[in-house]
Amino acid sequence: MKIPDDSSVLFLIAHPYLQDSRSNRAVVEAVADLPGLTVHPLYDLYPYFHIDTRFERDLLAAHDTIVVQHPFYWYAMPSLMRHWVSEVLQPGWAYGPGGDKLKDKNFLVSMTVGGPEDSYSAQGYNRFPMETFLAPWNQTAHLCQMKWHEPVILYNSIVAQEDQLREHGQRVRQKLAQMTGGSAQ
Amino acid sequence: MSHGFLTDIVLLLAAGVLFVPMFKRIGLGSVLGYLVAGVLLGPWGFGLIAEPERMAHVSELGVVFLLFIIGLELEPKRLWAWRMPIFGMGTLQVLIVSGLVAICARLFGLPWNAAIVVGVAAATSSTAIATQILRERNLLNTKGGSSAFSILLFQDIAVLPVLALLPHLAGQAAEKKGVSPWIILLVIAGIMLAGRIVLRHALRIVAGAHLREVFTAMSLLVVVGMAALMEELGVSMALGAFVAGVLLATSEYRHAIEMDIEPFKGILLGLFFVTVGMAVDLTTIAHQPGTVAGIVASLLLIKLVVHFALARAFNISLKERPLFAILISQVGEFAFVLLGSAQVMKMIDPEQTALLSASVALSMASTPLLLLFYDRWLAPKLAAMTIKQPEGAEVHNDHPEVLIAGFGRVGQIIGRMLYANGITATVLDHDPDQIELLRRFGFKIYYGDATRLDLLEAAGAATAKVLVVAVDDQEDSLEIIDLAQQHFPHLQLVSRARNVGHVYELIDRDITFWERETFESSLRMSTEVLKTIGWEPYSAVRASNKFREHNIRMIYNLHAVRNDETKLTSAARQARVDLENMFNGERETLKSNPDGWDVQPEP
């Protein structure tokens, strides 16, 4: 595996059955051709859950903008994404004393959520607002001194129509363009 | 012209040491080396050994030991499975060949009784030569090989009545000195029943003494004793030794006995071939070269044709037929005995005996040459031909996704795993044993050499997605890969690698995936070792994952510099340092609580 030298956006995608996920594929397809963007499919690269941490860190260091794209599983990220956080974001490198390699990088969470938006409230059946569930990502970015951007979320992904999926893909694409100041569009 | 026995032994050993390696190097095989050594030493050569008969008797033990060892390697169950080829093919081979040769001999003016003796003599094959080759090439497990051996066994049995009938043929009253066949049968039955138990107990007692040489002596005693007993009964010594071997085939001392007998067998068998060489009557050959050549050629022709037809009738595969026919094409050592007796009984005159004996010896020498011809020229052609006739295998060609070349230890697991997941691969293999079983499970099988382009094509390489190269042989593996890349560039290649050198060749070819055949299993075992000595299971798995990652990275680094030897050594040293660092770093990480905040960064 090689570190691309002309890429500024690292687009991590973590979905164990990407081929079956219409919404996540729609997002990847919408952004894949952006210049200076590298799609990094974690489940394709590490199906045995053994993450090449050295390579992952080199890859992170080579990019200015880090995007994590994943479905919302059991109120959190898929297990390989979570494993990646544990393995790759080590103290002394990502955080803690001397850990400043991610400092000032842009960080964006792009998520697909099966349920409706209004269920994520004190009155809804999911009882908590989405901010509560996103707190781990938010604090991770903060601890690593990265710039937190407002997440892009597709609700009702299970029942989304083709045009809604396309529309969401374009939203993510525009968000990236806006974050990188037009360097990726 | 020394007559000392010691001098004879020195000459024999020296000739063997000189000629056998020489002939082996030229590619003519050890048997021919011994034969030529015998010709040169014998009375018709330089006459260095005056009394070949003295040697002949000792050297017969070589054949005895050979048959004993074969017996050891054959379980009674397997022998029982061979009853059909032994009696069916054996009877037909002896009857047809002796009939045809007898008719020829009659046409050349021999009286009927002599013609029949010559026919039977010609029908026998050399157990010593054929069996030696069977063992060398590990052919007893093939249908052709086991059939050839079955015929040899039958010939050894058939010798009994023929010798008994000889006086009748000669028109003499049978002398009443022979043992009644009923007694022989009774003794053999007795040995079969009691021998196993008696021999085992005797061996156990002797082995209990823990004296290596006594055990060797016991092994020799069993073989020679059995041979002597059989000779006393008038049965072939070799057959007796074979029975003894089979009786001990299931014994726990089998391997120990085999190791003890093996060197004796080797030396004595060599001596046996030397004595056959010494019997080659060069003067007769020199006086009547045309006649001798004619006899040898017709004998070989008749035998080869008959054997080929038999092989066909008994469903021996086309690929195995020539080897089967060649293996037993020579005339055997028993012919010397028969011809000698016939001369004594005045059925043939001494001149005819000399002529025929010389022909028999030459026919023996022809086998290594025929084999050479087979290996160099016939076998490659046959490999090409068999593809067009996939052994009656039902050939489906409904575009398989996966081809597996080589269905041995590696290919089998791959095929089974795919099968379990509903993907039936098409298999290319040259081992006919597998085919039946695989076909029952619905596999499509292409029988033959996967290094052949037309076989790959027939198996569906043009439309398949993946070719798994799981053959044993590294050169075959690379040959298949080169062919596939050249002719079917769309094929994804997944290859078994024998070792790192093989891996480098595979990296050169840029194939989709390679895996060393022992690497993953060793890694799993080392992980278990770590767990067993108290490591946390997940830590052990992580350590093995790290090891794999590091190892593969190192292989690619070494591959990149492998043509530069100095760089290679330094890179290898560097890799060791890397590994050490990796282990140190890994150990640090593993010691710490993975969820803690006091984990040291990896270097």
Side-chain angles (χ1 to χ4, degrees), chain B residues 163-164 167 174-184 231-234:
Chain B
L163 274 180
E175 308 140 64
K176 264 282 164 209
K177 71 164 190 178
V179 185
S180 136
W182 295 111
I183 294 183
I184 296 175
E231 202 186 25
E232 203 56 38
L233 293 171

Side-chain angles (χ1 to χ4, degrees), chain B residues 4 25 28 248 432 458:
Chain B
R25 176 154 296 182
L28 293 173
L248 290 173

